Amino acid sequence: MRTIKIFVLFLFIIGCSETNLDSNRIRLGVPPHSGFSPVFIASEKGFFEKQKLDVELVISDNPADLYLEKKIDAICSGLTESILFFSEGHPTQIIYRFNYSLSNDLIVSSPKIKTIPELRGKKIAFNGVNTSSHIFVMQLLNKNGIREGEYSSSNLPFPKVWEELQKGNIQAGHIRGMDMTEIKKQGFNIIARSADVPDLLSDTLSVDSKFLKNHPSSIRKLVSAISEAREFYYKNNEESLSILSQRISKSETEISEELKSVRFLTLKENSQSLLNPDSETAQTFYPGGGGSGFAQGQTGSMMNFASMEKRGALFIAGESIIEFLRERGQLYRIPDLKNIFDDRFVQDRESK
């Protein structure tokens, strides 16, 4: 009798395990940023439910902590942060790129400064050390011949940058989602924008590697729902702005201004942007021009691509990010980009 009970308990545990593997529940962390608009729209319009998904949307200013603590299964974050997850011992796959921005991210300078080379010896602000913002500023300075030690820096949240510029406490800084007309009206100069290094600031969707392995069907459905939300945004702009205003807690005017220079990518553009050199459908495509402002040294296997190997734009941006972080000792291990980018889901969906 005891043997039978143990056997029944074993079958129960196996059954529960299989149920979990087949579960359509996804805990998705997302910061309240307009760059992730399709996620909010998909949630509000029932596109997740349409795919028979139970998506728990966890809106947080810093979902990275929740992700590292394994309290969420997938996360909307910047490219830099997603690469760092892998390096910090949390195996992660980047499966989707949300957008392409021409001028949502700006380097704004005081009235007397009109070009980046004039920032030598000046004080410049970015949002967070070793973040996408930091790399964005450093990349632009580097491309214009300004090295570390030739300027001073200030770590400020985005809303504070404009305030400190107006006070004259800094001479330039990284600003996001601000009306360019207003900047110029007050006499300040826009000396760089995201289009100058278009892929570094990519907003991405990343998934815990173990969860992805166990729930590929659910992740494919998640991508499909987000893609449908993208289409809804362009066909129903006014309703979309109303939805976003409630979820992001900004006015429709503010959000509309932020999204003026942002284009949400199609699935085909995603498959090209996330292109994995190991993919059977590999083709060369650089939607933003790609390119790195950093000299690339030997940083491990991820840098050993053959000259003719075909890569997506995010691979090239990823190389620059890894080089930046490696030089500053921020990587516990050098990631292999081929193990981080997973283009199967956008490619599979596109081929159907």
Side-chain angles (χ1 to χ4, degrees):
M1 180 67 69
R2 181 183 178 85
T3 302
I4 293 174
K5 287 182 178 179
I6 292 174
F7 180 70
V8 170
L9 179 61
F10 176 75
L11 290 178
F12 175 77
I13 292 172
I14 293 296
C16 290
S17 177
E18 289 177 351
T19 299
N20 288 335
L21 289 179
D22 293 337
S23 172
N24 283 329
R25 182 170 181 264
I26 302 173
R27 299 171 299 173
L28 175 59
V30 55
H33 298 162
S34 59
F36 304 113
S37 293
V39 170
F40 299 113
I41 294 171
S43 175
E44 183 68 24
K45 296 301 296 182
F47 297 147
F48 294 138
E49 289 85 349
K50 181 179 176 181
Q51 293 290 334
K52 295 182 171 53
L53 292 175
D54 176 15
V55 177
E56 178 188 348
L57 211 60
V58 182
I59 302 175
S60 168
D61 287 323
N62 188 22
D65 289 341
L66 299 174
Y67 182 72
L68 290 171
E69 293 169 5
K70 296 187 179 294
K71 293 180 179 179
I72 53 178
D73 310 305
I75 183 171
C76 299
S77 66
L79 178 59
T80 300
E81 288 69 33
S82 294
I83 289 175
L84 277 171
F85 293 146
F86 196 98
S87 173
E88 291 170 1
H90 189 144
T92 297
Q93 264 64 55
I94 299 171
I95 65 164
Y96 187 86
R97 178 182 181 179
F98 283 95
N99 55 56
Y100 175 77
S101 172
L102 291 173
S103 55
N104 197 38
D105 291 88
L106 307 168
I107 303 295
V108 178
S109 64
S110 59
K112 293 182 179 180
I113 297 174
K114 298 182 179 180
T115 64
I116 289 182
E118 295 175 63
L119 292 178
R120 184 174 277 104
K122 304 298 190 298
K123 192 170 188 178
I124 309 162
F126 49 78
N127 181 22
V129 177
N130 297 321
T131 61
S132 298
S133 176
H134 189 185
I135 296 176
F136 174 56
V137 172
M138 284 288 298
Q139 182 94 327
L140 289 166
L141 292 173
N142 190 282
K143 288 176 72 174
N144 284 272
I146 301 177
R147 312 300 177 187
E148 285 192 90
E150 297 181 331
Y151 63 93
S152 58
S153 60
S154 179
N155 181 3
L156 295 172
F158 289 119
K160 281 283 185 183
V161 175
W162 181 240
E163 182 181 320
E164 293 299 294
L165 265 173
Q166 291 177 307
K167 292 178 179 178
N169 294 333
I170 59 175
Q171 285 68 58
H174 178 195
I175 287 179
R176 173 172 292 171
M178 188 170 176
D179 188 346
M180 291 189 289
T181 304
E182 182 63 26
I183 292 171
K184 294 175 181 178
K185 185 187 299 182
Q186 296 200 34
F188 292 85
N189 298 311
I190 298 170
I191 57 176
R193 58 191 69 198
S194 42
D196 296 327
V197 281
D199 303 307
L200 286 178
L201 297 172
S202 300
D203 292 322
T204 61
L205 173 62
S206 301
V207 184
D208 173 84
S209 296
K210 184 176 181 181
F211 185 89
L212 183 64
K213 180 180 179 181
N214 291 334
H215 302 81
S217 176
S218 294
I219 295 303
R220 187 169 290 109
K221 292 175 183 177
L222 181 70
V223 170
S224 181
I226 290 173
S227 178
E228 184 173 2
R230 175 202 177 273
E231 297 301 315
F232 181 90
Y233 169 80
Y234 284 112
K235 293 177 181 178
N236 305 273
N237 189 253
E238 289 186 10
E239 184 179 352
S240 296
L241 291 176
S242 177
I243 292 170
L244 296 172
S245 179
Q246 296 174 34
R247 292 299 186 100
I248 300 176
S249 299
K250 288 185 178 181
S251 71
E252 292 181 29
T253 302
E254 288 178 300
I255 296 171
S256 177
E257 190 62 40
E258 288 182 7
L259 294 178
K260 274 184 180 178
S261 65
V262 174
R263 181 169 61 81
F264 293 106
L265 300 185
T266 65
L267 285 171
K268 182 176 182 180
E269 289 168 331
N270 253 280
S271 68
Q272 294 166 331
S273 190
L274 273 74
L275 189 64
N276 190 318
D278 291 337
S279 171
E280 293 181 0
T281 58
Q283 54 184 300
T284 304
F285 182 74
Y286 307 113
S292 166
F294 291 110
Q296 297 183 2
Q298 294 299 320
T299 59
S301 62
M302 64 88 197
M303 295 298 290
N304 294 331
F305 294 123
S307 60
M308 294 304 290
E309 213 164 19
K310 298 170 182 178
R311 300 165 288 168
L314 290 194
F315 267 80
I316 296 184
E319 290 176 349
S320 293
I321 290 169
I322 288 174
E323 180 70 9
F324 176 94
L325 296 171
R326 185 193 67 81
E327 288 181 351
R328 286 155 185 76
Q330 298 301 310
L331 296 175
Y332 292 109
R333 57 185 64 81
I334 302 298
D336 185 336
L337 290 176
K338 292 181 182 180
N339 293 331
I340 295 179
F341 291 98
D342 191 339
D343 60 355
R344 292 176 299 155
F345 300 94
V346 290
Q347 295 223 8
D348 284 354
R349 178 66 179 82
E350 189 67 30
S351 63
K352 293 181 179 181

